[in-house]
Amino acid sequence: MTTEDKIRAQLAENPIILYMKGIPDAPECGFSAQAVAALKSTGIDFAYVNVLAAPFIREKLPSISDWPTYPQLFVKGELVGGSDIIVDMADSGTLKPLLTGED
C-alpha cells in the first residue's frame, strides 16, 4: 500500500479525522492544540493521525489536500481547513452541525 493509498483509506474509514502534530491529549504545537480544543468543545468523537510520528503521511498529505500546513481537518473525506478555520467555525456555531451532518 502506498502512502497515498493509506491516506485515502484513513479518509474513507474515519468520518471525522484530524491530521495534527502530537495527539489530542498532548498536542505538540499551538495550532494543533487550538484545533483539538475546538473539536472537543463539540463533544463529538474524532480520529486523529500524529503526523510527527508518521513522516511519510506528513510529507504526502499536503499534495493530496492542497493545504500546506498542519493541522488539517477532514469531514467525510473533504478538507475543512486548518486551525483558524476550525476555531472560527466553533466560535460561530457552524462546526458541530458540520460534524454531525445537521445543517
Side-chain angles (χ1 to χ4, degrees), residues 1 6-17 47:
M1 178 179 281
K6 184 171 185 170
I7 291 168
R8 295 203 183 279
Q10 290 169 339
L11 294 173
E13 294 166 7
N14 298 285
I16 304 167
I17 186 166

Side-chain angles (χ1 to χ4, degrees), residues 72-87:
Q72 295 185 26
L73 175 65
F74 288 80
V75 175
K76 296 179 185 166
E78 297 293 323
L79 176 69
V80 174
S83 64
D84 290 347
I85 292 169
I86 298 165
V87 169

Side-chain angles (χ1 to χ4, degrees), residues 8-103:
R8 295 203 183 279
Q10 290 169 339
L11 294 173
E13 294 166 7
N14 298 285
I16 304 167
I17 186 166
L18 181 69
Y19 290 87
M20 62 177 289
K21 293 180 179 177
I23 62 172
D25 290 337
E28 294 189 37
C29 83
F31 295 113
S32 290
Q34 291 173 353
V36 166
L39 285 167
K40 284 185 173 182
S41 75
T42 68
I44 297 169
D45 290 335
F46 60 94
Y48 70 91
V49 173
N50 178 358
V51 298
L52 297 178
F56 295 110
I57 290 175
R58 181 180 183 185
E59 181 181 303
K60 183 68 177 173
L61 184 61
S63 68
I64 294 171
S65 65
D66 202 26
W67 193 269
T69 59
Y70 290 97
Q72 295 185 26
L73 175 65
F74 288 80
V75 175
K76 296 179 185 166
E78 297 293 323
L79 176 69
V80 174
S83 64
D84 290 347
I85 292 169
I86 298 165
V87 169
D88 286 348
M89 290 181 75
D91 290 346
S92 71
T94 58
L95 182 60
K96 188 171 184 176
L98 174 70
L99 299 179
T100 61
E102 299 169 5
D103 290 330

